Amino acid sequence: FTMSAVAAPAPAEPATQASASEAELLDAARAACAAAGVPAPADGRLGELLRREGPEKFLGAVDGLVVRRLQERPGVYQAPVEQPQELILIRHGKSLAQEAKKQRTQPQYLDCALASEGRRQAEGIVDAVGRMEVDLIVVSPLARALETCLVAGQQLISRGVPVVVHPNIAEVGSAIPENQPRKVGQLLRDKTLSRLPHLDRVDFSRLPGTWPDNHLQRLPKRGAGRQPTDDLVDWL
């Protein structure tokens, strides 16, 4: 079941402002860990990480920590052996970039969410998807696919069907902004996705620790050797 971005130095901030900023960064780090379902490091370790990386790189370092902890988990799914498997494909709903049509190359559509019509499309199949008997949901790491999955598949996820994000079904058609994936921590903090139920049940551990650096550049040319979908089918 696949759900188919030299100025003059600024004056120093007052001490109270700096403290508030540090507290906000630490709160964001704890929230990212909680959303991923992994324990947050102790406050002392988080503070040490913030001092070492600096405010600009701190949350990126936390993202890497979250991914490593997810990858340390045992696999949530093993395919049944020696029995036929049925694969059900569901395409994502209409995205904001698709709605924008000729303007979809604008940078604001980087890994964008569903449009209102796309959300209605996902909501319209909730009951039909909920009646399916499936062992596993595999979803692309792009936001429009994750949103479709969490909305349309909410009944299955509530029943305990595991959801695995797999890099080999990410869009590879072109390098337009909507096809540019983001880091796991950015997805977990996404305003649209974080409001949906069951985001904490999504397993991101199949994504490499460097995701999504050079994702499109690493892909083989079409027809040249094994394709990402070949490895996906073998895994299933």
PDB file of all heavy atoms in Angstrom, residues 39 61-62 81 85 87 125 137-138 149 154 170 195 200-201 221:
ATOM      1  N   PRO A  39      13.634   9.222  22.926  1.00  0.00           N
ATOM      2  CA  PRO A  39      13.922  10.009  24.131  1.00  0.00           C
ATOM      3  C   PRO A  39      14.852  11.176  23.825  1.00  0.00           C
ATOM      4  O   PRO A  39      15.814  11.035  23.062  1.00  0.00           O
ATOM      5  CB  PRO A  39      14.582   8.987  25.067  1.00  0.00           C
ATOM      6  CG  PRO A  39      15.107   7.915  24.172  1.00  0.00           C
ATOM      7  CD  PRO A  39      14.159   7.849  23.014  1.00  0.00           C
ATOM      8  N   ALA A  61      21.680  19.509  13.850  1.00  0.00           N
ATOM      9  CA  ALA A  61      22.383  18.463  14.598  1.00  0.00           C
ATOM     10  C   ALA A  61      21.400  17.584  15.354  1.00  0.00           C
ATOM     11  O   ALA A  61      21.581  16.366  15.452  1.00  0.00           O
ATOM     12  CB  ALA A  61      23.384  19.101  15.561  1.00  0.00           C
ATOM     13  N   VAL A  62      20.350  18.198  15.882  1.00  0.00           N
ATOM     14  CA  VAL A  62      19.310  17.418  16.563  1.00  0.00           C
ATOM     15  C   VAL A  62      18.610  16.487  15.578  1.00  0.00           C
ATOM     16  O   VAL A  62      18.317  15.328  15.886  1.00  0.00           O
ATOM     17  CB  VAL A  62      18.290  18.351  17.256  1.00  0.00           C
ATOM     18  CG1 VAL A  62      17.109  17.558  17.810  1.00  0.00           C
ATOM     19  CG2 VAL A  62      18.970  19.134  18.379  1.00  0.00           C
ATOM     20  N   VAL A  81       7.073 -14.553   4.082  1.00  0.00           N
ATOM     21  CA  VAL A  81       7.785 -15.310   3.057  1.00  0.00           C
ATOM     22  C   VAL A  81       6.884 -16.382   2.472  1.00  0.00           C
ATOM     23  O   VAL A  81       5.951 -16.870   3.107  1.00  0.00           O
ATOM     24  CB  VAL A  81       9.060 -15.956   3.647  1.00  0.00           C
ATOM     25  CG1 VAL A  81      10.034 -14.889   4.078  1.00  0.00           C
ATOM     26  CG2 VAL A  81       8.713 -16.867   4.816  1.00  0.00           C
ATOM     27  N   GLN A  85       1.916 -11.615  -2.553  1.00  0.00           N
ATOM     28  CA  GLN A  85       1.682 -10.298  -1.982  1.00  0.00           C
ATOM     29  C   GLN A  85       0.925  -9.432  -2.978  1.00  0.00           C
ATOM     30  O   GLN A  85       1.189  -9.475  -4.176  1.00  0.00           O
ATOM     31  CB  GLN A  85       3.010  -9.620  -1.637  1.00  0.00           C
ATOM     32  CG  GLN A  85       3.802 -10.334  -0.569  1.00  0.00           C
ATOM     33  CD  GLN A  85       5.044  -9.558  -0.200  1.00  0.00           C
ATOM     34  OE1 GLN A  85       4.962  -8.424   0.269  1.00  0.00           O
ATOM     35  NE2 GLN A  85       6.197 -10.150  -0.417  1.00  0.00           N
ATOM     36  N   LEU A  87      -0.034  -5.554  -3.996  1.00  0.00           N
ATOM     37  CA  LEU A  87       0.424  -4.184  -3.819  1.00  0.00           C
ATOM     38  C   LEU A  87      -0.663  -3.229  -4.281  1.00  0.00           C
ATOM     39  O   LEU A  87      -1.123  -3.298  -5.415  1.00  0.00           O
ATOM     40  CB  LEU A  87       1.697  -3.956  -4.636  1.00  0.00           C
ATOM     41  CG  LEU A  87       2.398  -2.601  -4.499  1.00  0.00           C
ATOM     42  CD1 LEU A  87       2.920  -2.417  -3.087  1.00  0.00           C
ATOM     43  CD2 LEU A  87       3.536  -2.484  -5.513  1.00  0.00           C
ATOM     44  N   ILE A 125     -11.495   9.228   0.647  1.00  0.00           N
ATOM     45  CA  ILE A 125     -11.249   7.783   0.556  1.00  0.00           C
ATOM     46  C   ILE A 125     -10.924   7.157   1.916  1.00  0.00           C
ATOM     47  O   ILE A 125     -10.483   6.010   1.985  1.00  0.00           O
ATOM     48  CB  ILE A 125     -10.117   7.471  -0.450  1.00  0.00           C
ATOM     49  CG1 ILE A 125      -8.806   8.127  -0.015  1.00  0.00           C
ATOM     50  CG2 ILE A 125     -10.499   7.916  -1.854  1.00  0.00           C
ATOM     51  CD1 ILE A 125      -7.609   7.689  -0.857  1.00  0.00           C
ATOM     52  N   ILE A 137       1.986  -0.028   5.337  1.00  0.00           N
ATOM     53  CA  ILE A 137       1.846   1.174   4.517  1.00  0.00           C
ATOM     54  C   ILE A 137       3.254   1.703   4.248  1.00  0.00           C
ATOM     55  O   ILE A 137       4.038   1.908   5.172  1.00  0.00           O
ATOM     56  CB  ILE A 137       1.022   2.260   5.231  1.00  0.00           C
ATOM     57  CG1 ILE A 137      -0.393   1.759   5.537  1.00  0.00           C
ATOM     58  CG2 ILE A 137       0.952   3.527   4.372  1.00  0.00           C
ATOM     59  CD1 ILE A 137      -1.190   2.690   6.426  1.00  0.00           C
ATOM     60  N   VAL A 138       3.586   1.895   2.985  1.00  0.00           N
ATOM     61  CA  VAL A 138       4.887   2.469   2.597  1.00  0.00           C
ATOM     62  C   VAL A 138       4.606   3.817   1.950  1.00  0.00           C
ATOM     63  O   VAL A 138       3.770   3.913   1.053  1.00  0.00           O
ATOM     64  CB  VAL A 138       5.636   1.554   1.605  1.00  0.00           C
ATOM     65  CG1 VAL A 138       7.019   2.124   1.316  1.00  0.00           C
ATOM     66  CG2 VAL A 138       5.758   0.144   2.156  1.00  0.00           C
ATOM     67  N   CYS A 149      -1.207  10.125   3.184  1.00  0.00           N
ATOM     68  CA  CYS A 149      -1.152   8.879   3.949  1.00  0.00           C
ATOM     69  C   CYS A 149      -1.803   9.027   5.321  1.00  0.00           C
ATOM     70  O   CYS A 149      -2.618   8.194   5.725  1.00  0.00           O
ATOM     71  CB  CYS A 149       0.307   8.447   4.099  1.00  0.00           C
ATOM     72  SG  CYS A 149       0.588   7.105   5.251  1.00  0.00           S
ATOM     73  N   GLN A 154      -5.817   6.934   8.084  1.00  0.00           N
ATOM     74  CA  GLN A 154      -5.908   7.102   9.535  1.00  0.00           C
ATOM     75  C   GLN A 154      -6.560   5.917  10.246  1.00  0.00           C
ATOM     76  O   GLN A 154      -6.166   5.548  11.364  1.00  0.00           O
ATOM     77  CB  GLN A 154      -6.652   8.394   9.868  1.00  0.00           C
ATOM     78  CG  GLN A 154      -8.048   8.514   9.286  1.00  0.00           C
ATOM     79  CD  GLN A 154      -8.661   9.887   9.494  1.00  0.00           C
ATOM     80  OE1 GLN A 154      -9.212  10.180  10.558  1.00  0.00           O
ATOM     81  NE2 GLN A 154      -8.536  10.743   8.495  1.00  0.00           N
ATOM     82  N   ALA A 170      10.393   8.185  -3.502  1.00  0.00           N
ATOM     83  CA  ALA A 170      10.343   9.649  -3.609  1.00  0.00           C
ATOM     84  C   ALA A 170      10.305  10.042  -5.077  1.00  0.00           C
ATOM     85  O   ALA A 170      10.878   9.369  -5.927  1.00  0.00           O
ATOM     86  CB  ALA A 170      11.544  10.280  -2.920  1.00  0.00           C
ATOM     87  N   ARG A 195       0.028  18.693  12.870  1.00  0.00           N
ATOM     88  CA  ARG A 195      -1.342  18.777  13.376  1.00  0.00           C
ATOM     89  C   ARG A 195      -2.134  17.493  13.114  1.00  0.00           C
ATOM     90  O   ARG A 195      -3.233  17.327  13.636  1.00  0.00           O
ATOM     91  CB  ARG A 195      -2.076  19.956  12.719  1.00  0.00           C
ATOM     92  CG  ARG A 195      -1.551  21.329  13.105  1.00  0.00           C
ATOM     93  CD  ARG A 195      -2.510  22.412  12.642  1.00  0.00           C
ATOM     94  NE  ARG A 195      -2.001  23.746  12.909  1.00  0.00           N
ATOM     95  CZ  ARG A 195      -1.504  24.550  11.988  1.00  0.00           C
ATOM     96  NH1 ARG A 195      -1.457  24.147  10.727  1.00  0.00           N
ATOM     97  NH2 ARG A 195      -1.062  25.755  12.297  1.00  0.00           N
ATOM     98  N   ASP A 200       3.512  10.528  14.927  1.00  0.00           N
ATOM     99  CA  ASP A 200       4.483   9.891  15.811  1.00  0.00           C
ATOM    100  C   ASP A 200       4.627   8.397  15.542  1.00  0.00           C
ATOM    101  O   ASP A 200       5.557   7.758  16.022  1.00  0.00           O
ATOM    102  CB  ASP A 200       4.095  10.115  17.282  1.00  0.00           C
ATOM    103  CG  ASP A 200       2.723   9.564  17.607  1.00  0.00           C
ATOM    104  OD1 ASP A 200       1.850   9.532  16.711  1.00  0.00           O
ATOM    105  OD2 ASP A 200       2.504   9.164  18.767  1.00  0.00           O
ATOM    106  N   ARG A 201       3.717   7.823  14.747  1.00  0.00           N
ATOM    107  CA  ARG A 201       3.809   6.399  14.433  1.00  0.00           C
ATOM    108  C   ARG A 201       4.537   6.128  13.120  1.00  0.00           C
ATOM    109  O   ARG A 201       4.718   4.972  12.738  1.00  0.00           O
ATOM    110  CB  ARG A 201       2.407   5.786  14.354  1.00  0.00           C
ATOM    111  CG  ARG A 201       1.610   5.883  15.652  1.00  0.00           C
ATOM    112  CD  ARG A 201       0.368   5.026  15.576  1.00  0.00           C
ATOM    113  NE  ARG A 201      -0.507   5.250  16.716  1.00  0.00           N
ATOM    114  CZ  ARG A 201      -1.637   4.577  16.938  1.00  0.00           C
ATOM    115  NH1 ARG A 201      -2.017   3.646  16.070  1.00  0.00           N
ATOM    116  NH2 ARG A 201      -2.382   4.827  17.990  1.00  0.00           N
ATOM    117  N   LYS A 221      20.539   6.853 -14.046  1.00  0.00           N
ATOM    118  CA  LYS A 221      19.708   7.258 -15.164  1.00  0.00           C
ATOM    119  C   LYS A 221      18.686   6.175 -15.459  1.00  0.00           C
ATOM    120  O   LYS A 221      18.934   4.990 -15.234  1.00  0.00           O
ATOM    121  CB  LYS A 221      20.573   7.519 -16.408  1.00  0.00           C
ATOM    122  CG  LYS A 221      21.506   8.715 -16.267  1.00  0.00           C
ATOM    123  CD  LYS A 221      22.286   8.933 -17.554  1.00  0.00           C
ATOM    124  CE  LYS A 221      23.201  10.156 -17.422  1.00  0.00           C
ATOM    125  NZ  LYS A 221      23.977  10.379 -18.665  1.00  0.00           N
TER     126      LYS A 221
END
